[in-house]
Amino acid sequence: IYKSSKMVNTYLRKTILFISTLFLSSILSAANLQYFVNQPTNQSLNAPYSYYTYQPSPMMDKAIESIPSYSNVKKCASNNITDAIIILKPILSYQAQSTILYGDLNVKVYQTRSDNETNPDNFIKEIKISLWKVVKFDKVVMDYYVNEMYTELLKKLTSEIDSLKIDKNYPTNGSYCDLLSTINKSSVNLNY
């Protein structure tokens, strides 16, 4: 009798673990979202006598594609209509003396609640996520570290998005991303 109750408990624990894993991975798939990377120019990480240059948008695209819980999140496009737009602004810096790679992910959640695209009421949440990691600066492997940092920042963002109360009564058109792209290409410097 003891052995069968132990097997039932083990089975029950495995079932609960499986269900909770499914729940966590479906957090983002429940919301109908699109994302925009608001970091238009090349970024550089510097160390003494060396530097590494990368493009944040393609690196963030790659990180998003590698995380299963983001599989339903679309890249922002004017023909997309979703519940909200997640505006991502990743900022990395490298401290050579301490060999620490710092990563910040500034996030704004945008939902069209006003006819005026730039109305402050459309920004329903601001989030800042930070991480750091000890890495040896090497231009050959910095792609790997940037991707790893972006991936970890996005994983931390998952729980923040789950806590959002996104009102599905405000369909949001991706045309706001066109406005952001235009601003980024112009000489106007706005904080989105």
Side-chain angles (χ1 to χ4, degrees), residues 17-48:
L17 178 65
F18 177 72
I19 290 170
S20 62
T21 303
L22 278 177
F23 174 73
L24 286 173
S25 67
S26 67
I27 287 170
L28 285 174
S29 55
N32 183 12
L33 302 171
Q34 54 187 313
Y35 74 94
F36 179 82
V37 181
N38 195 20
Q39 194 66 290
T41 58
N42 287 347
Q43 301 293 305
S44 290
L45 297 173
N46 299 311

Side-chain angles (χ1 to χ4, degrees), residues 72-140:
N72 290 339
V73 179
K74 304 170 192 151
K75 186 160 182 155
C76 199
S78 57
N79 57 347
N80 288 345
I81 296 177
T82 56
D83 297 327
I85 299 171
I86 304 168
I87 302 166
L88 306 169
K89 188 168 190 171
I91 301 167
L92 301 183
S93 63
Y94 184 75
Q95 298 298 322
Q97 288 180 327
S98 56
T99 66
I100 293 178
L101 178 62
Y102 290 97
D104 289 325
L105 184 60
N106 297 322
V107 181
K108 288 190 178 186
V109 181
Y110 176 89
Q111 188 175 51
T112 308
R113 296 181 176 203
S114 163
D115 290 339
N116 178 355
E117 284 186 326
T118 58
N119 188 321
D121 292 340
N122 293 339
F123 295 97
I124 59 175
K125 177 93 176 181
E126 288 188 38
I127 305 164
K128 182 175 181 179
I129 298 171
S130 298
L131 282 175
W132 62 272
K133 167 180 296 265
V134 176
V135 299
K136 184 174 183 221
F137 193 94
D138 183 347
K139 286 169 63 169
V140 176

